[in-house]
Amino acid sequence: LVRAPSSLFLCRTILSSKMVQVEEPQDYIDVLESQRGGFSFENCKRNAYLAAQAAIKPPTAMKSGTTICGIQLKDAVVLAADTRATEGPMVADKNCQKLHHIASNIFCAGAGTAADLEHTTQLMESQMELLRMATGTQPRVCTVVRRLSQMLFKYQGYIGCALVLGGVDVTGPHLYQIYPHGSTDKLPFTTMGSGSLAAMAILESEYNENMSVEDGKKLVAKAIRAGIFNDLGSGGNVDVCVITKESGGTILRNWEKPNERKFKAQYKGFPIGTTPVLKQDIMKLVTVEDDVVMKD
């Protein structure tokens, strides 16, 4: 782990094979060094020592699967996402929603940890609604990006939120890419998730900033299909969100179903008596003694 040194007290940790020694600041130079800022990598040696001697396993990054993308048009933004939620090697949900509402003119597509995405987007949605009521104006996209970036950076990537955020405000359409560590990019088109490479191949070859909204919807759906068919962590259906200045944002749930079942298995119920009943008890838990009649 990387930590910032405290400006009040300097504590140098020297690790040896037998014991840990602590050195206090000896003169003004040590105090000055502690106030210079930057990062201290002393904990890296400590973590290596603990992993080797105390058998403490360091945390590992969790693998998650998703394909999300977004494109910026002349006067609109179009987002899209797949609908597969994974739990390790298993498919937890075939039709989950990865497009999140933040404001009437701002939406985002999320990849990463589902609980972190739900909580973070709901928190931002609440903050933007409070801001809208306090100022009496529509929130701007850069405001959401700034708040998300500061919050995610504060947690140093431990909130698993990778977002493609788009919206249309008074300054026009905007599309941003936000990483879990808090870094942001403003791009005309972008993809994220485990299927992002397959989706990016489609967007790089076919994107045109002057295309219509209908062509943009078809393009992002094609990019998500590329992720669904070429990435094991992506699957299900294609959700699309169109954000315009006139009508705001509209989520088109299950706009395409590329993996719809053609044949369904016929399940027949088990006949009565297949499983023998060894014992049957019927317990009367409530006994009514007298009826109570309420009088005026």
Side-chain angles (χ1 to χ4, degrees):
L1 299 176
V2 178
R3 65 173 179 82
S6 171
S7 61
L8 300 177
F9 181 74
L10 173 65
C11 179
R12 287 197 182 128
T13 305
I14 302 176
L15 296 173
S16 62
S17 59
K18 294 183 179 181
M19 61 181 297
V20 177
Q21 298 177 352
V22 177
E23 284 190 1
E24 295 184 357
Q26 301 296 326
D27 51 22
Y28 75 96
I29 297 180
D30 290 341
V31 177
L32 182 64
E33 286 290 331
S34 68
Q35 298 176 354
R36 289 182 60 187
F39 289 103
S40 171
F41 293 91
E42 296 168 354
N43 283 344
C44 295
K45 295 181 179 180
R46 182 207 65 181
N47 294 340
Y49 175 80
L50 292 176
Q53 301 297 326
I56 297 177
K57 186 178 179 182
T60 56
M62 186 183 68
K63 178 70 170 65
S64 62
T66 288
T67 302
I68 56 175
C69 69
I71 61 173
Q72 177 182 328
L73 304 179
K74 189 175 182 181
D75 53 359
V77 173
V78 184
L79 308 176
D82 71 312
T83 61
R84 173 175 289 183
T86 57
E87 188 176 348
M90 297 177 293
V91 177
D93 191 353
K94 298 179 182 179
N95 197 29
C96 75
Q97 184 169 340
K98 302 180 183 180
L99 298 176
H100 305 276
H101 172 275
I102 294 179
S104 60
N105 62 318
I106 304 171
F107 286 75
C108 72
T113 307
D116 292 346
L117 289 165
E118 287 287 341
H119 185 83
T120 303
T121 52
Q122 288 175 8
L123 177 67
M124 205 54 52
E125 180 183 12
S126 173
Q127 291 184 10
M128 289 303 105
E129 180 63 17
L130 292 173
L131 180 66
R132 184 192 67 80
M133 291 189 294
T135 60
T137 59
Q138 198 178 52
R140 296 177 60 177
V141 181
C142 60
T143 305
V144 182
V145 173
R146 178 74 170 181
R147 293 199 182 192
L148 281 170
S149 175
Q150 288 182 337
M151 190 193 77
L152 293 175
F153 178 76
K154 181 173 69 175
Y155 287 93
Q156 291 291 294
Y158 282 98
I159 294 181
C161 286
L163 302 171
V164 174
L165 186 139
V168 180
D169 55 24
V170 293
T171 60
H174 302 278
L175 181 69
Y176 287 88
Q177 177 174 291
I178 306 174
Y179 285 93
H181 289 81
S183 61
T184 62
D185 294 315
K186 190 177 189 302
L187 301 165
F189 61 90
T190 184
T191 64
M192 295 193 84
S194 57
S196 60
L197 294 179
M200 182 58 78
I202 300 298
L203 295 185
E204 284 186 340
S205 59
E206 300 185 23
Y207 171 75
N208 181 6
E209 61 181 3
N210 295 318
M211 61 175 36
S212 65
V213 173
E214 287 300 320
D215 291 339
K217 289 159 62 177
K218 294 177 182 178
L219 177 61
V220 293
K222 184 177 180 180
I224 297 299
R225 286 202 310 271
I228 287 174
F229 292 126
N230 293 283
D231 173 46
L232 290 177
S234 306
N237 307 317
V238 179
D239 290 346
V240 176
C241 178
V242 180
I243 311 165
T244 60
K245 186 175 183 179
E246 294 78 15
S247 59
T250 304
I251 294 180
L252 305 173
R253 190 87 166 105
N254 296 339
W255 195 66
E256 282 190 2
K257 295 184 177 181
N259 288 316
E260 198 165 9
R261 288 194 177 208
K262 301 298 181 183
F263 305 98
K264 293 186 178 180
Q266 299 296 324
Y267 293 102
K268 296 181 179 179
F270 293 100
I272 298 176
T274 301
T275 302
V277 178
L278 301 180
K279 185 179 179 181
Q280 181 176 352
D281 290 330
I282 300 177
M283 301 178 65
K284 195 171 183 181
L285 302 177
V286 179
T287 302
V288 179
E289 294 180 353
D290 295 322
D291 292 338
V292 179
V293 179
M294 301 297 293
K295 295 181 179 181
D296 296 337

